[in-house]
């Protein structure tokens, strides 16, 4: 049986709208992963790497979390919306792309990390903050308001 690590409860993700943790991938890189609600019948929580597919932009931002609108994760930089359940984007600059997923499993109201290529490190953001969006928000060209 594959290893699994308990991340948080489904209730916590639903209450807050999203939940961030940091893991180490199979290449030894630290990655931020965000849990978001998915309303598909067979899945209540999905996990996506906290990066837009268009540019190196975090989807989850401190103090804001992930903006989910009409079942979609909204990129704060240019507004592309990714389906919360499939990760697919069919609009905006990220059109035709899909968020990178991390495998999680929901069991008895708890969310477990079950991806063989990801090892849990800690709750919250990565300490490595050298991304080009160091302001952690939309750049000055963004016209989005939440
Ligand atoms: S950075 Fe996300 S749509 Fe451009």
């Amino acid at each position: 049986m594959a290893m699994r690590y308990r991340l948080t409860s489904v209730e916590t993700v639903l209450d807050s709208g999203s939940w961030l943790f940091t893991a180490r991938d199979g290449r030894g890189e630290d990655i931020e992963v965000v849990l978001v609600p998915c309303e598909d019948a067979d899945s209540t929580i999905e996990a996506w790497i906290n990066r837009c597919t268009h540019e190196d932009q975090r989807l989850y931002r401190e103090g804001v979390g992930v903006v989910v609108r009409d079942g979609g994760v909204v990129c704060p930089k240019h507004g592309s919306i990714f389906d919360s359940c499939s990760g697919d984007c069919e609009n905006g600059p990220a059109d035709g792309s899909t968020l990178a997923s991390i495998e999680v499993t929901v069991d008895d109201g708890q969310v477990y990390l079950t991806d063989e290529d990801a090892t849990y490190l800690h709750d919250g953001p990565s300490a490595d903050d050298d991304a080009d969006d160091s302001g952690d928000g939309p750049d000055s060209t963004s016209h989005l308001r939440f």
Side-chain angles (χ1 to χ4, degrees):
M1 182 175 177
M3 292 288 293
R4 67 182 198 172
Y5 182 89
R6 181 191 171 277
L7 296 167
T8 188
S9 67
V10 171
E11 185 178 9
T12 297
V13 180
L14 296 179
D15 285 351
S16 57
S18 55
W19 194 85
L20 185 74
F21 70 98
T22 299
R24 183 153 296 153
D25 68 14
R27 297 169 302 164
E29 302 283 333
D30 290 2
I31 52 172
E32 291 182 1
V33 183
V34 64
L35 305 179
V36 294
C38 162
E39 295 176 2
D40 268 4
D42 57 350
S43 176
T44 56
I45 302 294
E46 291 290 343
W48 307 110
I49 290 181
N50 188 30
R51 289 286 166 197
C52 182
T53 56
H54 177 225
E55 292 179 0
D56 194 17
Q57 169 67 45
R58 287 179 166 94
L59 302 169
Y60 182 107
R61 293 175 299 136
E62 285 294 311
V64 178
V66 169
V67 174
V68 178
R69 186 179 299 154
D70 298 330
V73 172
V74 182
C75 173
K77 193 165 188 179
H78 301 123
S80 284
I81 301 175
F82 298 84
D83 186 285
S84 299
C85 300
S86 69
D88 294 339
C89 178
E90 297 179 351
N91 56 79
D95 185 21
S97 66
T98 301
L99 293 174
S101 66
I102 294 293
E103 185 177 317
V104 294
T105 301
V106 173
D107 185 16
D108 197 25
Q110 305 300 311
V111 187
Y112 296 90
L113 175 63
T114 50
D115 195 310
E116 293 182 359
D117 293 325
T119 303
Y120 172 86
L121 292 180
H122 55 80
D123 295 1
S126 167
D128 176 17
D129 199 27
D130 61 355
D132 65 3
D133 60 347
S134 55
D136 222 21
D139 67 14
S140 60
T141 62
S142 174
H143 59 280
L144 300 176
R145 297 288 180 268
F146 300 111

